[in-house]
Structure formats: structure tokens, C-alpha cells
């Protein structure tokens, strides 16, 4: 519980944070339209400037060489780890809420308020558009085996897609917007978090495995431990819950 460092310098709210794969660098995304890179000791390494609106999400590539940012300006950007802009991903018609990399670091997925997710090559070329949601897409994730992409939407559903953009399955049953989605390390189980106060676990074919109840307010995030034996959820009721995988 001892404080290690305080990362100070942003001039507005910080809404996103990510560690590099080697654990040595932290990226922070802010409403001040910048992302900052810090050494884990708290030293500022670089400031990523160029977005025209707040930056809500940031992610490192698994190979640790690139950083992706998602912004309310309708774009995502790819940066070198040193802070140099590599490419701007443009074609969404609204805020980009979330960005993620494939396990091999070569494909980037973006989720947007325009009700779509999009897949991009690392050079900025558009590969596929994932269309079917009827409201904002809040989160996107690749399965660890890189075969499936999952999206979570304000329309109350999550969807599974093939990498060519073909729809694989629709996860229906939540009683409110689906805010986050993640895969188990073996790629066989999907967890979704919702405004309905629950987390649901699904098989890869879309079958419901379990409904995890107990939160008394919206669940905003869900994550699995690398071992796959435990998961965590965080909610607006002020609590976090840990679950064991049966």
C-alpha cells in the first residue's frame, strides 16, 4: 500500500492509463488532449500531442514498440514508443472510445460512437468494418488466439466477429448497456460487464455460462487474471469484486 510515485503534469482529468509490456513505462491519457509517457519511477519521458479533443484511452502493442490512442476527435493515432507519430487512423464518424492491438501487434481495433468497430493494419490501412450494433461501441478486444474479436455496445449486446469482419455470435441478455468485454487466457470464455449491475460469462459460441450478481450499480470494467483462474469487476457502487473460475 505504499505510494511509489505521483504522475503530475496533465492539466485536466486523466481517464486512461496503461503499462508497457515490460512494466517500465506508463502511459496516461487525458482530457487535456495529450498522452504522457512516464518512467515507472515517475519521470516524464514524452508528451504525445496532436489530438483535437480529449484522449479517453491508450494501449501499448504487445511487442512494446507502439502506442495507440483513442480520442473524441474521431481518430485513433499510432505512436512510436519514443513519442513520434506514426499514423493517424481516420474514417470513424464519431468519438473513438477504445483501441486495442492483436496479439501479434500487427492489427489495431477501434471502437466508436458511430456504432462500428474497425480493424486496421499497422500502416493505417483499413482492413474491415464491423457493422451491426445499433448504438455506441464502447470496448473491443482480441481473443488471445487472435481468431475472434469481441465488441461491447450501449445497445445492450456484445458481439463476436471473425477477423475478416464476419459476425460470429451475438451475446444477448444484459438488461442495460454493455460497457466492457474481455477473453479468458485460453480464448474459450468471454466476460461482459453491464450497466445492469452484472457480469456475464459466455462460451465462444454465444451460449451463456453464468451470471455474476452482487454489484448494486453499473459495472464499468472486467478483467481476467493471466492464469485464467480468477477475474475482477469494478462498479459504480464503489466496490470491486473477485471471482473464481469454476
Amino acid at each position: 500500500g505504499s505510494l511509489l510515485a505521483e504522475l503530475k503534469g496533465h492539466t485536466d482529468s486523466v481517464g486512461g492509463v496503461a503499462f508497457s509490456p515490460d512494466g517500465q513505462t506508463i502511459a496516461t491519457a487525458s482530457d487535456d488532449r495529450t498522452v504522457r509517457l512516464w518512467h515507472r519511477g515517475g519521470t516524464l519521458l514524452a508528451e504525445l500531442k496532436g489530438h483535437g479533443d480529449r484522449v479517453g484511452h491508450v494501449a501499448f502493442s504487445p511487442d512494446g514498440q507502439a502506442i495507440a490512442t483513442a480520442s473524441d476527435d474521431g481518430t485513433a493515432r499510432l505512436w512510436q514508443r519514443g513519442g513520434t507519430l506514426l499514423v493517424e487512423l481516420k474514417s470513424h464518424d464519431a468519438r473513438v472510445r477504445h483501441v486495442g492491438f492483436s496479439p501479434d501487434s500487427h492489427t489495431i481495433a477501434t471502437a466508436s460512437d458511430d456504432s462500428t468497430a474497425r480493424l486496421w493494419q499497422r500502416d493505417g490501412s483499413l482492413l474491415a468494418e464491423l457493422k451491426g450494433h445499433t448504438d455506441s461501441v464502447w470496448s473491443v478486444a482480441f481473443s488471445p488466439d487472435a481468431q475472434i474479436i469481441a465488441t461491447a455496445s450501449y445497445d445492450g449486446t456484445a458481439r463476436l466477429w471473425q477477423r475478416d469482419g464476419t459476425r460470429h455470435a451475438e451475446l444477448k441478455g444484459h438488461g442495460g448497456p454493455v460497457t466492457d468485454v474481455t477473453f479468458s487466457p485460453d480464448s474459450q470464455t468471454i466476460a461482459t460487464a453491464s450497466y445492469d449491475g452484472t457480469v456475464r460469462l459466455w462460451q465462444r459460441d454465444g451460449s451463456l455460462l453464468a451470471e455474476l450478481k452482487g454489484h448494486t450499480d453499473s459495472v464499468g470494467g472486467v478483467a481476467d487474471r493471466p492464469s485464467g483462474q480468477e477475474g475482477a469487476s469494478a462498479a459504480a457502487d464503489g466496490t470491486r469484486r473477485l471471482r473464481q473460475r469454476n
Side-chain angles (χ1 to χ4, degrees), residues 76-163:
R77 293 183 179 225
L78 297 183
W79 314 76
Q80 286 183 334
R81 186 160 173 169
T84 303
L85 179 64
L86 293 172
V87 68
E88 187 176 17
L89 309 180
K90 301 193 298 183
S91 75
H92 281 296
D93 297 325
R95 172 196 320 186
V96 180
R97 284 186 176 267
H98 198 268
V99 63
F101 285 91
S102 60
D104 65 5
S105 299
H106 294 311
T107 305
I108 300 96
T110 53
S112 173
D113 278 1
D114 67 8
S115 303
T116 73
R118 299 186 183 214
L119 304 180
W120 314 76
Q121 287 184 327
R122 197 151 159 170
D123 65 3
S125 303
L126 181 64
L127 292 171
E129 186 177 15
L130 311 184
K131 299 174 70 173
H133 284 296
T134 58
D135 210 326
S136 301
V137 183
W138 282 25
S139 181
V140 61
F142 283 89
S143 60
D145 65 9
Q147 299 305 305
I148 300 292
I149 298 103
T151 53
S153 174
Y154 199 81
D155 67 12
T157 72
R159 292 179 183 238
L160 304 181
W161 314 79
Q162 305 285 354
R163 286 192 68 155

Side-chain angles (χ1 to χ4, degrees), residues 182-185 189 191 222-232 243 245:
T182 189
F183 284 89
S184 61
T189 305
V222 63
D224 270 301
R225 189 174 179 175
S227 67
Q229 298 306 306
E230 292 180 320
R243 57 173 169 81
R245 185 177 177 188

Side-chain angles (χ1 to χ4, degrees), residues 17-28 36-40 45 58-68 81-82 101:
V17 63
F19 272 94
S20 61
D22 63 9
Q24 298 304 306
T25 305
I26 300 106
T28 53
R36 292 183 180 229
L37 305 180
W38 315 78
H39 184 269
R40 64 181 298 167
L45 298 173
V58 59
F60 279 90
S61 60
D63 65 10
Q65 299 306 305
I67 298 149
R81 186 160 173 169
F101 285 91

Side-chain angles (χ1 to χ4, degrees), residues 138 152-157 174-180 193-197 218-219:
W138 282 25
S153 174
Y154 199 81
D155 67 12
T157 72
H174 278 295
V178 182
T179 56
D180 198 14
S194 173
Y195 271 18
D196 66 9
S218 306
V219 183

